[in-house]
Amino acid sequence: GPNSTRTVRLAREHGVVCVRGNHDRWVTQQGGICNVNGPMDDRGNVSSHTTEQLPADDVAWLRALPLHVSARIEDVSLAMWHAQPKTSDMEFLFHDLPSWALLRASERSEADVIIIGHTHAPARIVCPQRRVILNPGTLLRQTLPGERELPTKCVHGVFATLDLPSRDFCVRSLRDGEPVGFVERTVY
């Protein structure tokens, strides 16, 4: 996205825990060239398109990112993946998938709390055995023409907090820090 070099630098400088996703993979496969779309007009037309060349050390950092991260905090096991656990970085995990698909994803991870992204839609999916799948949404992402309609009105410019061990999950607006709605689902 916009300011890719600065974004990577900030993550590196602050030791942000990250997992590699599809865009990181694409950038490393293209030798560090980022295709950056500008803002869209009211008809869905991209107003500008530029490329940005990431420095070689940033490309190497992206290439070295793990596909997943696991940790135990406050006696809660956590696992973070870009998309569905133990699949490719392109496998969507939408909240409205059949229950069996969500249960299979939670079982593949074997963690109490599974944090995923890729769909950009904030959600909490509660599964059996006190497992939960969380999607914090996205800080910056434009919906492109022809893309699937996302389930909430406020999916862009959000972040989430997770309190442990209570597992309290809150999605907040990047603009003002106020809580915003997200999809909640329980599967059996």
Side-chain angles (χ1 to χ4, degrees):
N3 302 310
S4 297
T5 300
R6 181 74 179 130
T7 301
V8 171
R9 288 291 158 108
L10 283 171
R12 291 178 66 188
E13 289 169 9
H14 293 282
V16 175
V17 176
C18 301
V19 293
R20 190 173 70 229
N22 55 303
H23 289 271
D24 308 310
R25 177 174 47 82
W26 294 337
V27 167
T28 61
Q29 289 173 341
Q30 296 173 34
I33 296 174
C34 301
N35 293 311
V36 180
N37 291 329
M40 288 192 298
D41 64 22
D42 57 358
R43 287 178 268 170
N45 298 313
V46 175
S47 63
S48 63
H49 179 83
T50 60
T51 59
E52 182 179 346
Q53 176 68 50
L54 287 177
D57 58 329
D58 289 341
V59 174
W61 184 82
L62 287 173
R63 187 175 287 117
L65 287 175
L67 297 177
H68 87 283
V69 174
S70 297
R72 180 166 285 281
I73 301 172
E74 297 285 332
D75 206 32
V76 177
S77 62
L78 300 153
M80 184 167 60
W81 301 80
H82 175 72
Q84 284 202 35
K86 299 183 181 179
T87 65
S88 81
D89 58 20
M90 294 297 291
E91 291 291 323
F92 288 101
L93 190 59
F94 282 107
H95 75 281
D96 58 357
L97 287 175
S99 293
W100 65 264
L102 296 169
L103 291 170
R104 186 177 65 194
S106 77
E107 291 164 359
R108 268 198 307 264
S109 172
E110 301 173 3
D112 300 324
V113 176
I114 303 144
I115 302 168
I116 55 110
H118 194 53
T119 65
H120 305 275
R124 173 176 39 207
I125 303 163
V126 179
C127 302
Q129 300 170 340
R130 295 200 69 228
R131 286 191 178 140
V132 63
I133 300 170
L134 304 174
N135 187 327
T138 182
L139 290 171
L140 175 66
R141 171 67 164 64
Q142 295 171 332
T143 303
L144 299 174
E147 281 190 314
R148 177 180 175 160
E149 190 65 31
L150 296 176
T152 67
K153 291 183 177 133
C154 186
V155 294
H156 307 306
V158 298
F159 65 97
T161 57
L162 173 63
D163 183 70
L164 295 174
S166 71
R167 303 182 194 193
D168 288 338
F169 177 69
C170 184
V171 178
R172 298 181 177 277
S173 166
L174 185 60
R175 182 179 35 239
D176 58 17
E178 290 297 313
V180 298
F182 57 91
V183 172
E184 295 192 68
R185 179 173 175 199
T186 299
V187 294
Y188 304 98

